[in-house]
Amino acid sequence: MITKKNLIKISPVLWEIPKTFRSDMNVPARIFTSEKMLDEILKDKSLEQLVNVTTLPGIQGYAFCMPDAHEGYGFPIGGVAATSYPDGAISPGGIGYDINCGVRLLTSQLNIKDISQDFEKLAHSLSRAVPSGVGRGGQIQLAPHELDDLLKNGLQWMLKNNYATQEDINHIESNGTLTNADPDKVSHRAKKRGFGQLGTLGAGNHFVEVGFVEEIFDEQAAKAFGLVKDQITILIHTGSRGLGHQVATDYIKIMMEAMPKYNIALPDRELACVPLSSPEGNDYFNAMAAATNFAWSNRQMISHLIREDWKRELGTDEKLNLVYDVAHNIAKIETHEIDGKQQKVIVHRKGATRAFGPNNPEIPADYQSVGQPVLIPGSMGTASYVLAGTKEGMKISLGSTCHGAGRRLSRRAAKQLVQGQELKKQLAEKGIAIAAGSIPGLAEEAPIAYKDIDEVVEIVSQAKIAKKV
């Protein structure tokens, strides 16, 4: 059991578990958090999981945890780790079951006063346009060859089929396509689970949220991102649905069976991994890329459906602009300065958001001067944030930051404390309209189930791994 006594306080918002804590650690572990929020993190096994991550073959620098961390499968959610390329480990537990779960932000030219009387109508029309719930299918039905084409080409398939514009593509991480994607490495069962799910949210904490810009912290960055006070925004949070979940399930099993072949022994089987350069590692990486392309296409299709519904319901021809779309469950090949030298590494981000600083060639041309947009959703009834990546973050956190508020209560615990209908009523009293596939399921996502988003964002701001916009 890890306690505060085992941690070294580097700064008010950075703590370290030294390599000497356990004999099998290959690198130290670092946690971005305040002392108050550290007490929350210590209530579950997040830091034990983080220490286990430090034992991965080929891990470089540090294993990191963000302030919204909580216990996950193998890796803590909020975990970041880089392993050496090409022979270091790749671990599905370091990406998660919902491959390329991520967030995108659209902006309207309307402001809060323009639609204040339309909240209920919009909530219900959007819920009809974008299906949600466990296993729910959508209106887009793909033939098998079309799904393979989409898995291979991502947003290029969406562009070819008139569901996206080039401007959209320019404002998506990796332009919405990982080019190493191989549909042949995705099982028939995974594809079967993906058929009919394009343009759907799924369940859990996935949502479409209409909000407005309440406060501007950085005028220059806000202007670059096209954000102004009182402007209506639409935030979308979902991932690769059943297809991505099955890819993870398939390859975790494969890796558990393959580890002895590569003499890999780990303290937790949930960290199952193999060298990226191995046949199993390469197959997973290419299947993960295909699921990633599906998730970006899914959020793009949802955007298309919202744009169509927006026109119908509000009688406006205005264009909903895409600010950015960024993943927070993914592994990517990147180059970072580690231990004083530039290294090509396999960066795992699980419940952590890429946050590249200014002048990085990976980010859109129109954001080069201010850094990459970082989208951090809060819970129902609390704020969400737009941040920007920093140069400091590139040096101290592998260009990574938090991904949300982070759970403090399990879904079961939340349901024991909150009733869905009562929560809906309380939010309505605050002027918040909700339409949900499952009213009992609302209780699982009650604000009480999450940490304080304002505190999480303040920590990453103080740590300078992202700045408030």
Side-chain angles (χ1 to χ4, degrees), residues 20-151:
T20 53
F21 172 73
R22 213 170 76 188
S23 61
D24 59 347
M25 291 175 69
N26 293 321
V27 295
R30 285 196 160 183
I31 307 100
F32 293 96
T33 186
S34 63
E35 191 154 359
K36 177 186 171 186
M37 200 155 272
L38 177 60
D39 291 334
E40 288 275 342
I41 294 171
L42 287 167
K43 289 178 182 177
D44 66 21
K45 294 181 179 177
S46 298
L47 297 191
E48 281 86 349
Q49 290 185 323
L50 188 66
V51 169
N52 290 341
V53 170
T54 70
T55 70
L56 284 174
I59 189 167
Q60 301 294 308
Y62 301 91
F64 294 101
C65 222
M66 297 298 154
D68 55 334
H70 55 103
E71 194 174 331
Y73 181 91
F75 271 59
I77 296 166
V80 180
T83 57
S84 54
Y85 178 86
D87 298 323
I90 186 161
S91 172
I95 292 101
Y97 278 94
D98 192 359
I99 295 167
N100 188 8
C101 186
V103 189
R104 73 164 46 193
L105 179 68
L106 303 169
T107 56
S108 166
Q109 299 312 303
L110 301 176
N111 69 36
I112 185 67
K113 293 176 185 176
D114 295 326
I115 69 164
S116 59
Q117 303 304 311
D118 297 318
F119 290 159
E120 285 285 350
K121 182 176 78 169
L122 270 176
H124 289 287
S125 68
L126 287 171
S127 73
R128 288 192 299 271
V130 184
S132 66
V134 178
R136 279 288 300 278
Q139 55 187 276
I140 311 300
Q141 300 296 317
L142 302 179
H145 73 276
E146 290 178 307
L147 179 59
D148 279 354
D149 197 358
L150 181 147
L151 294 175

Side-chain angles (χ1 to χ4, degrees), residues 190-213:
K191 290 176 185 178
K192 189 175 179 182
R193 291 183 68 180
F195 280 123
Q197 291 196 330
L198 190 67
T200 67
L201 281 172
N205 63 353
H206 295 158
F207 62 80
V208 170
E209 177 183 274
V210 179
F212 71 99
V213 178

Side-chain angles (χ1 to χ4, degrees), residues 221 224-225 355-360 363-364 366-374 387-390 467:
F225 298 164
F356 282 1
N359 304 315
N360 190 298
I363 63 178
D366 43 347
Y367 303 153
Q368 284 286 315
S369 63
V370 294
Q372 176 210 303
V374 179
L387 312 178
T390 64
K467 65 177 181 177

Side-chain angles (χ1 to χ4, degrees), residues 144-154 178-192 243 247 250-251 283-291 293-294:
H145 73 276
E146 290 178 307
L147 179 59
D148 279 354
D149 197 358
L150 181 147
L151 294 175
K152 175 67 180 171
N153 296 301
L178 294 185
T179 56
N180 62 296
D182 186 349
D184 291 340
K185 303 306 179 185
V186 177
S187 70
H188 174 72
R189 187 174 182 186
K191 290 176 185 178
K192 189 175 179 182
L243 185 145
V247 167
D250 292 341
Y251 281 94
D283 285 353
Y284 168 71
F285 191 55
N286 295 341
M288 182 216 72
N293 289 348
F294 183 87

Side-chain angles (χ1 to χ4, degrees), residues 139-449:
Q139 55 187 276
I140 311 300
Q141 300 296 317
L142 302 179
H145 73 276
E146 290 178 307
L147 179 59
D148 279 354
D149 197 358
L150 181 147
L151 294 175
K152 175 67 180 171
N153 296 301
L155 260 289
Q156 290 302 316
W157 187 92
M158 301 298 285
L159 179 66
K160 184 175 69 176
N161 288 277
N162 300 315
Y163 295 121
T165 67
Q166 187 59 50
E167 187 178 2
D168 289 335
I169 290 172
N170 294 343
H171 286 163
I172 301 174
E173 179 182 349
S174 298
N175 297 128
T177 305
L178 294 185
T179 56
N180 62 296
D182 186 349
D184 291 340
K185 303 306 179 185
V186 177
S187 70
H188 174 72
R189 187 174 182 186
K191 290 176 185 178
K192 189 175 179 182
R193 291 183 68 180
F195 280 123
Q197 291 196 330
L198 190 67
T200 67
L201 281 172
N205 63 353
H206 295 158
F207 62 80
V208 170
E209 177 183 274
V210 179
F212 71 99
V213 178
E214 185 177 44
E215 188 171 358
I216 300 285
F217 300 97
D218 186 312
E219 292 283 354
Q220 181 189 2
K223 185 177 180 181
F225 298 164
L227 297 169
V228 296
K229 199 170 187 306
D230 294 332
Q231 176 183 31
I232 292 295
T233 62
I234 302 170
L235 204 60
I236 301 166
H237 175 218
T238 191
S240 50
R241 304 290 277 111
L243 185 145
H245 195 285
Q246 191 62 46
V247 167
T249 301
D250 292 341
Y251 281 94
I252 287 169
K253 184 170 185 269
I254 289 168
M255 290 189 186
M256 282 182 174
E257 294 171 354
M259 283 197 300
K261 182 165 63 172
Y262 301 104
N263 297 314
I264 295 173
L266 296 165
D268 183 356
R269 281 175 61 81
E270 291 183 358
L271 285 175
C273 66
V274 293
L276 176 65
S277 56
S278 70
E280 298 89 350
N282 194 58
D283 285 353
Y284 168 71
F285 191 55
N286 295 341
M288 182 216 72
T292 296
N293 289 348
F294 183 87
W296 275 321
S297 299
N298 188 33
R299 293 196 287 276
Q300 182 64 40
M301 183 60 75
I302 290 171
S303 301
H304 171 76
L305 295 172
I306 290 170
R307 284 165 168 163
E308 294 294 306
D309 188 69
W310 202 255
K311 290 176 185 175
R312 279 194 304 270
E313 291 299 318
L314 297 179
T316 175
D317 287 331
E318 69 147 350
K319 182 182 175 187
L320 295 175
N321 292 313
L322 176 56
V323 176
Y324 204 59
D325 181 311
V326 65
H328 54 232
N329 280 1
I330 199 166
K332 299 184 84 174
I333 309 303
E334 297 172 0
T335 300
H336 290 276
E337 184 179 320
I338 301 173
D339 297 330
K341 59 182 180 181
Q342 295 291 315
Q343 294 190 50
K344 198 172 184 179
V345 287
I346 312 152
V347 181
H348 298 66
R349 294 188 180 95
K350 179 186 182 179
T353 310
R354 193 187 77 170
F356 282 1
N359 304 315
N360 190 298
E362 286 283 321
I363 63 178
D366 43 347
Y367 303 153
Q368 284 286 315
S369 63
V370 294
Q372 176 210 303
V374 179
L375 311 174
I376 308 298
S379 61
M380 291 184 291
T382 65
S384 296
Y385 281 84
V386 178
L387 312 178
T390 64
K391 288 185 176 178
E392 292 91 340
M394 300 303 294
K395 295 177 182 176
I396 61 176
S397 67
L398 297 169
S400 308
T401 190
C402 62
H403 87 305
R407 292 195 78 93
R408 54 181 291 272
L409 293 178
S410 69
R411 287 184 163 86
R412 179 182 292 179
K415 287 180 84 167
Q416 289 173 345
L417 292 172
V418 180
Q419 295 296 317
Q421 283 288 6
E422 182 61 27
L423 174 61
K424 188 175 181 183
K425 180 182 174 184
Q426 290 170 3
L427 292 172
E429 289 170 356
K430 294 182 178 180
I432 299 168
I434 287 185
S438 163
I439 294 299
L442 273 181
E444 299 177 359
E445 302 304 322
I448 195 175

